[in-house]
Amino acid sequence: VQLQASGGGLVQAGGSLRLSCAASGRGFGTYRFLGWFRQAPGKEREFVAAVKWSGGVTYYSDSVKGRFTISRDNHKNTVYLQMNNLKPEDAAVYYCAAGRGVITSTRGEPGAYDDWGQGTLVTVSS
């Protein structure tokens, strides 16, 4: 399975962006969790949001809760991240990830995910 992330760009603080992560190839139905992570220069990759593919339960980091929304389209094998009220500290490369063995307690751990998209850059100007 290949993951293709898109939708990044330059936005002013307070603005919005929607990221997409489309999956192609066989085996997508075996993923348990789809997630979004981000990595700013000089920082470690951090968890942003995740969704259980079956059932659609969502999880968020405290820093984005109430501003970001993760959703999925089962028919399109696509997961989205709607980002509202963006702040300069949200600027980073955003990665989508998919995991077969992820469980609720490991949803925020990059190492728990099997496959990663190539990343899409989000820049937020103040």
Side-chain angles (χ1 to χ4, degrees):
V1 177
Q2 290 187 326
L3 303 177
Q4 181 73 36
S6 61
L10 172 64
V11 64
Q12 287 188 332
S16 299
L17 282 174
R18 189 177 82 153
L19 306 183
S20 300
C21 178
S24 59
R26 295 183 175 182
F28 188 78
T30 61
Y31 289 130
R32 186 175 296 173
F33 271 84
L34 276 293
W36 286 97
F37 291 77
R38 66 187 181 188
Q39 188 166 18
K43 295 188 177 182
E44 293 186 352
R45 191 166 298 189
E46 65 171 352
F47 170 74
V48 176
V51 58
K52 274 189 177 179
W53 195 249
S54 176
V57 179
T58 58
Y59 304 87
Y60 300 93
S61 68
D62 288 342
S63 61
V64 307
K65 197 173 296 182
R67 300 187 298 121
F68 291 12
T69 302
I70 188 171
S71 61
R72 82 221 191 284
D73 185 326
N74 295 41
H75 298 293
K76 295 182 178 180
N77 285 352
T78 300
V79 62
Y80 303 98
L81 185 69
Q82 177 67 43
M83 306 186 295
N84 297 329
N85 190 21
L86 282 159
K87 303 176 180 181
E89 53 264 41
D90 294 318
V93 177
Y94 282 70
Y95 297 91
C96 60
R100 295 180 178 86
V102 180
I103 57 177
T104 301
S105 62
T106 63
R107 67 187 184 273
E109 300 174 12
Y113 290 76
D114 301 292
D115 298 303
W116 292 81
Q118 84 286 5
T120 185
L121 178 63
V122 172
T123 304
V124 183
S125 63
S126 57

